[in-house]
Amino acid sequence: MSEYAYFPGCSLRATGMAYEKSLLEVFRILGLKLNEIEDWNCCGATSYMSIDEDAAFVLSARNLALAAKQGASEVVAPCSACYLVLRKTEDYATRYPTIRKRVDEALQIAELPPIDWMKVRHPVEVLFNDVGVGMVKAKTVRKWQGGKLACYYGCQMLRPYYETDRPQDPIRMDELMHAAGATTIQWALKTKCCGGSLTGTIREVGVRLNEILIAEAVRKGAEAIVTCCPLCQFNLDAYQREMNGGRGYDIPILYFTQVLGWALGADRDKLGFQHSIAGGKVLKQWFPAREEVMANA
Amino acid sequence: MHDQNGSVRIGVYICHCGSNIGSVVDCKAVSEYIATLPGVVVSRDYKYMCSEPGQEMLEKDIAEHNLNRIVVASCSPHLHEHTFRAATAKGGLNQYFMAMVNIREHDSWVHTDKRAATRKAQDLVRAAVARVAKQKPLDKARVDIDPKVLIVGGGIAGIHAALTLANAGKKVYLVERAPTIGGHMAKFDKTFPTLDCAACILTPKMSAVRAHPNITLWTMAEVTSLSGYVGNYDVQVTRHTRYIDEDLCAGCLECIAACVYKQAKVDDEFNEGLGKRKPIYLPFPQAIPQVPVIDRETCIEFKSGKCKKTCLEACGERHAINFKLEDKVENVRVGTVIVATGFQTVDAKRLPYYGYGVYPNVFTSLEVERLVNASGPTAGEVYLRDGKTHPKSVGIIHCVGSRDEKTNKWCSRVCCMYSLKLAHLLKEHTGAEIFNFYIDMRTPGKGFEEFYQRLLNEGVHCIRGRVAEVTDWALNPSEEGKLVLRVEDTLLGVVRRIPVDMVVLSVGLEPHKDAQEVRRLFNITCSTEGFFLERHPKLAPVNTFTDGIFLAGCCQGPKDIPDTVAQAGAAAAEAMALIDAGYVEQEPNTAYVIEEDCSGCKTCVPLCPYSAIAFREDKRKAEVNPVLCKGCGTCVAACPSGSLQQHLFEDDEIFAEIEGVLVHA
């Protein structure tokens, strides 16, 4: 059984609760063990990294050091922002002795061992490589009853590190969705900007960027968008009422683990659908409560 | 300080090189100091030693003072070693009794402290005085040149070089990997900037190759080994079979018509997969040789052995078709080799943001060459991938896989011009609105800039900016069903979205994927990007570091047809210079083995970069082939028993030099 250190990050305990719930279910069903890093702290993402790089590296390194202390050699970070900053810390500390020195000094004060080579991984890539599309497909127990999906990858999982997928035209989440029995559309905006934190700072720009994504997905025939990052999911989900010239959209924005979890037979209540903002009606049709499944069967 | 000539009598000459040396080094002080050294009979300083009077002074001194060793302290030996060796020889001495000291590049040009620079010059010259006393007379060896030439690659470069040599009466073997000669040029429609038809100017030369009595043409053939040295290369060529005997075939092509495949079904390589061919086919109507070829992969007879073999019936009494024919190996001896293996275009799929292979109506420039060609798969009709719609608007993206950190960093030199040419042809054929997207418009050739102006007058749009992506993402109804090019127009300073029906990717030129294997086969070098490296970028552009092996065409770097032809002519002239001289003289500074000391450990054998060292199993000793040895000294340094020595760099010569530089007399 594969075992990984698990770094949830702040999002998965707040706006991204559905991600954590469904992720844990999928990993449990597929026999992958996640050991949460004890006493983890902020990953050091965007605001820290842009204002005080040293602080970001040190914060991030503390999580890696804690994981190493737990005896892990690989850490799974489901949030793409966490994934990127942890991965960057590992990379920069290896490549630049000055950064390594500052990080090690800080860790010494905290009585932590110097960080050793720690592999930082995103769950899309873990499922694709360590389990494999074929195995996921073999373990599905529910037939997909939903509509066409648009897989949306965002940026931080793919650039500048591209171990998770092809950076320009990623495909692995699509393949995982196919394994779950769903059809996906091929569209040009898989990695275009979701607005990041602009929805909170320059709202009209942030919302416009999200509207571009939703409008194109709908134009191409998708009925829901599948994501793998809590910020992408939130941005796409929360502002739909303001779009489409005031008419709004009502498109479910799912985590890929929710679709996988459903296909793998997880209990509906454990996949976090109640946290969704948009697309409630569709969600009820696609993921009916257990009784209804029994009734249809 | 004695040798076979009796006592050593040295003449030393310190050159001012105008003010190049004289302004930093006190040449007079150096020569006065050197005059005090033992063995020095004459010591002078002079304004320009390389001038006629300088050389004559040296020659006169040899006679008058009975000198038997010469030291010249001046510029780099690269420039004037041969000058002073010749003067030494003219004075009646063996030319290897001369030692040269570089007090310009190594001293005056790199120092500002005059006193220290003068002292350094004294040290360096003193070292040469000590060394030259130990130098021994050497003779240059001669190697005869076999007059036959091997040319590898039958594109326009190989064709032109072959015809030039053959017309001068030299025997040429022209080896081409494809079933026909002609290379990339045969696929082009028109050539820039004159718009003359590529086939019209190429095919007569192809026929001339076939007809020329001095040219042996082997198509579907590859050089599989090469050994030997300048003037005497032994070459093995493997001729893959086409299952049709070239000597028996009349080129009637009845067999193709008779093939059991009534419709052509296989992707046609010559038309970039846009057309279809049969398993038995001729690449294109003017192919040379005019002999069809059978493709094993798709021919039913090879796949199942159960074909009706209607092609055999059609061939009838000639019996040219034979499914049992096998590859043939030819062994030939040549004196010189011209490598003209060409290039490949960048695989457009390496740039996924341009959508090649994703959006059907994204084409490569080579595909469009075939589309606009009257003998192409659509007879010159420019259709979109559906095979029936003419494009109403076309975007041509320059620098696809050129000037790009992510793919290839170099400029491919021809794409700006061929993109303009395709813009003209597409407009002429379809009347479509054409957009060229360029980074810089590079038109540095005869008539090129004028052609660009002509295109602007024809109403072709040129937008300055590297295209970010080709996408089918429609922002509004006018973009529905179109390909949208997103680009920053750097002249307007805005980001634009240009919807078009067809996108052409002007793919760059890069080394063949097997260039490294070819490089090893011919013992030549590659520059960092993988093109074959010329000996000198300015003064020896067709030579390689291996004597007798020359380069022509795009295997050395991207170039257009005129430059390729010029270079092919130059390579032919270089080969002819060797052939007509009849022999080459070899520098004698080669390594040699002192046999009684050699333990036969073979350390040196794999170290030699020129494969010049053989191991004699009978004697259990290493043996250096002086013709192949370039005098690099690697083996001499590596030999654990000291049994490898090198002429002109003998231990006693080097130790004397070291002692000379260290011991201030």
Side-chain angles (χ1 to χ4, degrees):
Chain A
M1 180 157 130
S2 308
E3 250 184 83
Y4 313 86
Y6 170 50
F7 179 81
C10 62
S11 298
L12 270 72
R13 294 289 154 84
T15 53
M17 273 173 162
Y19 194 5
E20 174 160 59
K21 287 181 183 172
S22 55
L23 176 88
L24 295 179
E25 272 304 284
V26 168
F27 271 56
R28 185 186 60 75
I29 294 169
L30 293 174
L32 308 174
K33 193 153 185 261
L34 292 176
N35 303 316
E36 184 169 332
I37 298 172
E38 272 175 51
D39 196 31
W40 58 268
N41 54 257
C42 171
C43 70
T46 44
S47 45
Y48 266 113
M49 197 51 103
S50 7
I51 295 162
D52 185 346
E53 213 180 46
D54 278 0
F57 282 131
V58 168
L59 279 171
S60 180
R62 181 172 180 274
N63 294 315
L64 296 177
L66 287 171
K69 209 175 146 192
Q70 274 176 214
S73 60
E74 301 187 7
V75 55
V76 171
C79 166
S80 296
C82 300
Y83 164 78
L84 176 58
V85 79
L86 292 170
R87 178 72 185 82
K88 182 176 173 182
T89 303
E90 186 266 304
D91 180 32
Y92 277 41
T94 314
R95 270 201 286 165
Y96 304 108
T98 47
I99 293 174
R100 175 73 191 233
K101 194 161 157 271
R102 264 178 252 155
V103 163
D104 283 353
E105 280 166 6
L107 292 175
Q108 205 178 4
I109 296 168
E111 293 181 354
L112 281 169
I115 58 164
D116 278 316
W117 188 82
M118 175 70 63
K119 204 167 172 192
V120 182
R121 304 185 62 185
H122 194 282
V124 168
E125 179 262 324
V126 171
L127 294 182
F128 189 88
N129 284 323
D130 294 11
V131 181
V133 171
M135 181 58 78
V136 171
K137 192 171 179 184
K139 292 209 172 176
T140 55
V141 295
R142 284 197 182 105
K143 198 167 176 292
W144 179 249
Q145 309 277 8
K148 274 192 194 168
L149 305 175
C151 286
Y152 174 66
Y153 294 73
C155 59
Q156 300 196 88
M157 184 183 91
L158 301 166
R159 293 191 293 268
Y161 303 101
Y162 44 83
E163 289 126 14
T164 50
D165 208 336
R166 303 189 303 223
Q168 306 282 351
D169 51 343
I171 195 71
R172 290 179 173 178
M173 202 159 46
D174 286 80
E175 292 192 13
L176 287 169
M177 291 302 100
H178 299 162
T183 353
T184 59
I185 60 152
Q186 289 310 307
W187 59 321
L189 306 188
K190 284 181 182 181
T191 68
K192 288 290 178 303
C193 186
C194 76
S197 47
L198 281 175
T199 43
T201 50
I202 315 174
R203 189 176 174 122
E204 64 276 19
V205 173
V207 172
R208 190 172 78 230
L209 288 168
N210 281 285
E211 181 169 359
I212 287 172
L213 298 175
I214 292 175
E216 178 68 6
V218 169
R219 191 182 75 88
K220 283 269 187 164
E223 292 169 66
I225 297 177
V226 182
T227 64
C228 57
C229 167
L231 187 58
C232 299
Q233 195 277 340
F234 179 77
N235 279 336
L236 286 164
D237 202 10
Y239 300 91
Q240 290 189 19
R241 252 188 285 174
E242 298 172 28
M243 300 171 180
N244 205 11
R247 292 187 297 279
Y249 287 106
D250 196 24
I251 308 294
I253 310 296
L254 295 161
Y255 288 104
F256 78 105
T257 42
Q258 289 179 301
V259 176
L260 282 182
W262 179 256
L264 294 168
D267 189 345
R268 187 189 196 280
D269 297 339
K270 289 186 175 165
L271 294 174
F273 292 115
Q274 71 272 29
H275 301 291
S276 285
I277 299 170
K281 230 189 276 172
V282 176
L283 288 174
K284 259 190 206 141
Q285 277 174 20
W286 290 7
F287 309 103
R290 185 191 298 259
E291 293 72 23
E292 293 163 37
V293 176
M294 301 293 280
N296 288 344
Chain B
M1 284 211 181
H2 290 273
D3 70 352
Q4 69 267 38
N5 290 354
S7 70
V8 165
R9 297 175 62 81
I10 308 172
V12 183
Y13 301 87
I14 317 294
C15 179
H16 292 245
C17 194
S19 61
N20 275 304
I21 298 169
S23 65
V24 180
V25 171
D26 184 345
C27 296
K28 196 162 176 56
V30 175
S31 92
E32 282 167 4
Y33 163 74
I34 294 297
T36 66
L37 298 180
V40 175
V41 179
V42 176
S43 180
R44 302 182 195 278
D45 61 297
Y46 192 72
K47 194 103 181 148
Y48 285 110
M49 275 309 293
C50 60
S51 65
E52 273 304 311
Q55 294 181 51
E56 278 165 15
M57 174 174 74
L58 190 153
E59 291 159 33
K60 219 168 87 197
D61 280 354
I62 293 175
E64 280 182 12
H65 298 277
N66 199 21
L67 302 179
N68 54 22
R69 295 289 192 282
I70 301 294
V71 172
V72 181
S74 56
C75 54
S76 165
H78 269 300
L79 287 172
H80 276 303
E81 191 172 57
H82 64 278
T83 311
F84 300 124
R85 276 184 179 164
T88 306
K90 220 170 154 196
L93 298 179
N94 183 287
Q95 57 174 317
Y96 294 95
F97 278 148
M98 194 282 298
M100 203 171 163
V101 188
N102 185 355
I103 57 167
R104 194 177 73 175
E105 284 86 337
H106 289 178
D107 193 359
S108 68
W109 276 3
V110 290
H111 297 301
T112 48
D113 181 338
K114 293 184 184 181
R115 273 185 51 187
T118 303
R119 231 192 95 113
K120 182 174 175 181
Q122 289 171 340
D123 291 345
L124 291 173
V125 179
R126 193 175 60 241
V129 167
R131 165 191 237 285
V132 80
K134 304 284 183 190
Q135 281 179 205
K136 294 150 194 75
L138 295 168
D139 289 314
K140 286 186 172 181
R142 278 186 175 194
V143 179
D144 289 335
I145 302 283
D146 189 296
K148 296 189 287 301
V149 185
L150 170 73
I151 299 179
V152 190
I156 181 59
I159 289 172
H160 185 78
L163 287 173
T164 307
L165 286 160
N167 289 340
K170 315 300 176 199
K171 292 275 180 202
V172 175
Y173 297 101
L174 179 58
V175 175
E176 166 58 49
R177 180 152 61 178
T180 173
I181 55 171
H184 278 96
M185 187 176 169
K187 295 186 178 185
F188 301 158
D189 181 41
K190 301 276 167 60
T191 57
F192 62 77
T194 46
L195 295 176
D196 39 358
C197 149
C200 311
I201 56 178
L202 177 67
T203 50
K205 288 181 83 106
M206 290 167 59
S207 311
V209 165
R210 182 64 174 163
H212 209 297
N214 285 339
I215 300 177
T216 305
L217 172 63
W218 288 327
T219 52
M220 297 190 73
E222 286 175 285
V223 176
T224 33
S225 89
L226 177 124
S227 59
Y229 45 85
V230 56
N232 301 274
Y233 286 111
D234 290 312
V235 188
Q236 187 191 70
V237 177
T238 303
R239 297 173 65 191
H240 302 294
T241 181
R242 64 210 304 147
Y243 301 104
I244 295 171
D245 193 316
E246 282 183 42
D247 298 328
L248 300 179
C249 175
C252 67
L253 311 184
E254 294 287 332
C255 51
I256 301 178
C259 177
V260 291
Y261 274 94
K262 289 288 161 256
Q263 296 293 320
K265 281 195 177 140
V266 185
D267 279 349
D268 171 1
E269 298 85 354
F270 186 78
N271 283 319
E272 298 291 307
L274 292 172
K276 301 288 177 195
R277 61 163 172 81
K278 294 182 179 181
I280 182 166
Y281 67 103
L282 193 68
F284 63 105
Q286 299 102 320
I288 297 289
Q290 190 77 188
V291 179
V293 51
I294 296 175
D295 168 19
R296 271 190 81 103
E297 300 300 314
T298 48
C299 172
I300 293 178
E301 178 60 17
F302 282 108
K303 272 164 57 180
S304 68
K306 288 178 190 156
C307 185
K308 281 191 283 179
K309 287 179 270 197
T310 41
C311 54
L312 277 184
E313 287 168 28
C315 192
E317 287 306 300
R318 288 194 175 275
H319 303 296
I321 302 177
N322 181 350
F323 293 101
K324 295 204 169 60
L325 283 177
E326 286 178 357
D327 293 356
K328 246 193 272 180
V329 172
E330 309 267 1
N331 288 293
V332 290
R333 162 72 62 97
V334 297
T336 47
V337 178
I338 296 176
V339 178
T341 49
F343 64 95
Q344 66 182 30
T345 53
V346 171
D347 177 5
K349 287 188 177 154
R350 281 170 64 196
L351 301 98
Y353 33 93
Y354 289 156
Y356 184 76
V358 177
Y359 306 123
N361 291 325
V362 179
F363 291 79
T364 66
S365 43
L366 267 184
E367 286 176 329
V368 177
E369 291 281 358
R370 298 312 302 153
L371 276 185
V372 293
N373 194 303
S375 65
T378 55
E381 287 290 334
V382 179
Y383 291 129
L384 294 176
R385 205 73 77 165
D386 64 9
K388 54 185 186 220
T389 320
H390 295 290
K392 292 194 179 64
S393 51
V394 183
I396 303 178
I397 306 179
H398 294 213
C399 300
V400 176
S402 303
R403 306 183 69 194
D404 178 17
E405 290 287 329
K406 291 196 279 289
T407 50
N408 297 331
K409 290 182 184 169
W410 58 89
C411 167
S412 295
R413 286 190 62 190
V414 293
C415 322
C416 278
M417 285 305 294
Y418 83 57
S419 299
L420 291 175
K421 173 196 74 181
L422 290 177
H424 170 85
L425 295 173
L426 285 166
K427 201 167 177 65
E428 188 180 71
H429 284 241
T430 64
E433 190 164 21
I434 315 275
F435 300 88
N436 270 272
F437 299 88
Y438 67 99
I439 306 176
D440 297 295
M441 193 63 80
R442 296 193 164 171
T443 55
K446 218 175 176 181
F448 289 11
E449 185 67 17
E450 295 91 320
F451 187 72
Y452 175 33
Q453 286 302 326
R454 171 181 167 185
L455 265 283
L456 291 175
N457 291 336
E458 284 176 8
V460 168
H461 307 289
C462 289
I463 296 175
R464 183 168 178 273
R466 166 163 250 158
V467 173
E469 64 175 346
V470 174
T471 173
D472 67 346
W473 153 41
L475 259 189
N476 55 53
S478 75
E479 294 178 353
E480 287 285 344
K482 303 266 185 184
L483 292 168
V484 179
L485 294 110
R486 296 181 67 226
V487 60
E488 183 190 2
D489 186 327
T490 58
L491 297 180
L492 286 182
V494 294
V495 175
R496 298 177 70 178
R497 296 173 61 92
I498 313 267
V500 295
D501 295 329
M502 179 187 202
V503 170
V504 181
L505 304 180
S506 295
V507 284
L509 278 51
E510 64 182 12
H512 261 300
K513 57 181 179 300
D514 57 357
Q516 287 296 332
E517 287 152 48
V518 175
R519 176 189 77 76
R520 275 190 285 275
L521 188 63
F522 293 99
N523 196 16
I524 56 181
T525 41
C526 285
S527 46
T528 46
E529 72 275 20
F531 291 111
F532 299 141
L533 187 64
E534 63 282 0
R535 181 175 266 179
H536 189 282
K538 279 111 189 156
L539 302 179
V542 299
N543 303 67
T544 65
F545 286 94
T546 304
D547 292 333
I549 298 192
F550 305 101
L551 302 173
C554 289
C555 64
Q556 182 260 339
K559 51 181 70 68
D560 60 10
I561 295 167
D563 284 3
T564 296
V565 170
Q567 202 186 19
E574 291 282 355
M576 253 185 286
L578 282 178
I579 296 167
D580 287 355
Y583 64 88
V584 279
E585 283 193 325
Q586 298 283 103
E587 276 300 318
N589 60 340
T590 49
Y592 63 94
V593 179
I594 303 167
E595 282 199 353
E596 46 272 34
D597 294 345
C598 176
S599 66
C601 72
K602 300 187 192 173
T603 303
C604 52
V605 177
L607 286 176
C608 179
Y610 307 98
S611 312
I613 307 180
F615 187 73
R616 289 276 301 263
E617 288 292 347
D618 52 340
K619 295 198 239 170
R620 313 277 318 150
K621 307 277 182 201
E623 189 175 66
V624 178
N625 182 339
V627 183
L628 288 177
C629 176
K630 292 273 182 294
C632 71
T634 307
C635 58
V636 182
C639 178
S641 65
S643 59
L644 269 158
Q645 288 287 325
Q646 186 177 351
H647 297 300
L648 215 58
F649 296 91
E650 312 274 356
D651 282 354
D652 61 337
E653 293 165 0
I654 291 174
F655 285 130
E657 190 171 3
I658 294 171
E659 207 171 293
V661 83
L662 294 176
V663 182
H664 210 283

